[in-house]
Amino acid sequence: MPRSAFLLTTMAFGYAFLYLPILLLIVYSFNESRLVTVWAGFSTQWYRELAANEQVLSAAWLSLRIAAVQATVAVVLGTMGGYAMVRFRGFPGRVLFAGMLTAPLVMPEVITGLSQLLLFISMEQWIGWPSGRGVTTITIAHITFSMAYIAVVVQSRLVGFDRSIEEAAMDLGARPLKTFAVITLPIIAPALVAGWLLAFTLSLDDLVIASFVTGPGATTLPMYIFSSVRLGVSPEINALATIIVGIVATGILVAGVVLMRHERRRQEDAQAAFRDDDG
């Protein structure tokens, strides 16, 4: 078999393995039949029924709120952690700090969820907060593991950062805080955007940890879908999953366009600076 044919066949099998189940899910979300594996014609009735389902809308809105809030807080904390790891290499306890910062990356979700539950119960007994389990405890738990991913992303961006730009700004009289806001922050902005999207997606996808730390009054969208699927897959769930796929694909597309424009503008600025130096 020619090499090009082998590569095309391998790519076809790879893409089919990854995306064929998603494609079938999207197709059957427009199925008129209630049986998800028997095609009976095109229909959008499951989307209309989904729009009228208050439980689904409430769970989706709760998941989106938690994901947005925890991703924003995790970006701030993860950036601080990643910045400290790269710029302050000699502080005491750095190795321990690095291990604690990245531990959620390798910790099983069951262990993380159980430990968070025990922590919240102990805090409620000692200081009276948080009172019960719900939105607050889910948000805190998601911040804990999301900030680890963001710290890694920020560290990788800062390692390849040209510090001579910051030094030039400070030589011209800029204070460290202004240098960080005007020089460092715009350059690492793509990493922050990527980290925010990653944290948002991780929160939106989490089922195990949220199941440990939630209470009876807070049901996230993954928890609702899991409880519904246990009773049988319905076309309504397919419609819900199709909407989620559309939202995630749109977000990835928009983020890719923004990052590509930012990188193109950075390269144009660098080329203009080189031309000025040559002139």
Side-chain angles (χ1 to χ4, degrees), residues 171-196:
D171 289 342
L172 294 173
R175 295 182 178 277
L177 186 60
K178 185 176 182 180
T179 302
F180 178 80
V182 177
I183 303 297
T184 309
L185 203 56
I187 294 178
I188 67 172
L192 301 184
V193 174
W196 192 93

Side-chain angles (χ1 to χ4, degrees), residues 11-201:
M11 289 176 57
F13 274 107
Y15 284 127
F17 180 77
L18 291 175
Y19 297 111
L20 187 58
I22 298 176
L23 180 62
L24 290 175
L25 182 145
I26 294 174
V27 170
Y28 277 103
S29 70
F30 296 99
N31 188 8
E32 188 176 3
S33 172
R34 181 172 288 277
L35 301 175
V36 294
T37 57
V38 179
W39 181 259
F42 181 84
S43 175
T44 58
Q45 65 169 328
W46 306 114
Y47 287 89
R48 294 193 297 271
E49 293 189 10
L50 182 65
N53 191 327
E54 293 292 337
Q55 288 184 327
V56 173
L57 297 179
S58 176
W61 176 239
L62 177 64
S63 292
L64 291 175
R65 280 190 296 147
I66 292 175
V69 171
Q70 71 87 27
T72 304
V73 177
V75 164
V76 176
L77 298 179
T79 302
M80 294 171 63
Y83 191 85
M85 287 298 299
V86 175
R87 296 300 171 84
F88 306 101
R89 295 179 178 274
F91 66 88
R94 182 178 182 276
V95 176
L96 177 62
F97 178 73
M100 295 176 65
L101 187 63
T102 57
L105 297 176
V106 296
M107 194 72 68
E109 291 185 341
V110 174
I111 303 300
T112 302
L114 180 60
S115 62
Q116 295 276 354
L117 174 62
L118 296 177
L119 173 66
F120 293 138
I121 293 175
S122 300
M123 289 177 61
E124 185 178 4
Q125 293 175 347
W126 292 341
I127 62 176
W129 184 88
S131 179
R133 264 71 66 194
V135 177
T136 302
T137 52
I138 297 174
T139 304
I140 295 173
H142 285 185
I143 291 172
T144 303
F145 70 80
S146 294
M147 62 180 289
Y149 289 90
I150 296 172
V152 172
V153 174
V154 172
Q155 282 186 67
S156 62
R157 186 71 181 94
L158 286 173
V159 166
F161 187 91
D162 186 4
R163 295 202 62 183
S164 62
I165 304 175
E166 291 179 329
E167 294 171 355
M170 287 189 282
D171 289 342
L172 294 173
R175 295 182 178 277
L177 186 60
K178 185 176 182 180
T179 302
F180 178 80
V182 177
I183 303 297
T184 309
L185 203 56
I187 294 178
I188 67 172
L192 301 184
V193 174
W196 192 93
L197 291 173
L198 179 61
F200 186 87
T201 305

Side-chain angles (χ1 to χ4, degrees), residues 206-272:
D206 175 65
L207 171 65
V208 178
I209 296 177
S211 299
F212 275 96
V213 299
T214 190
T219 302
T220 61
L221 189 59
M223 295 168 61
Y224 175 83
I225 294 176
F226 182 71
S227 61
S228 300
V229 169
R230 293 176 65 183
L231 302 176
V233 180
S234 69
E236 196 172 317
I237 296 298
N238 287 349
L240 176 61
T242 301
I243 293 175
I244 295 175
V245 170
I247 294 174
V248 172
T250 304
I252 293 174
L253 183 63
V254 171
V257 171
V258 171
L259 294 177
M260 186 175 62
R261 288 183 176 178
H262 183 276
E263 180 64 20
R264 185 183 304 168
R265 190 180 306 117
R266 189 186 67 82
Q267 292 179 355
E268 290 175 354
D269 293 341
Q271 293 175 356

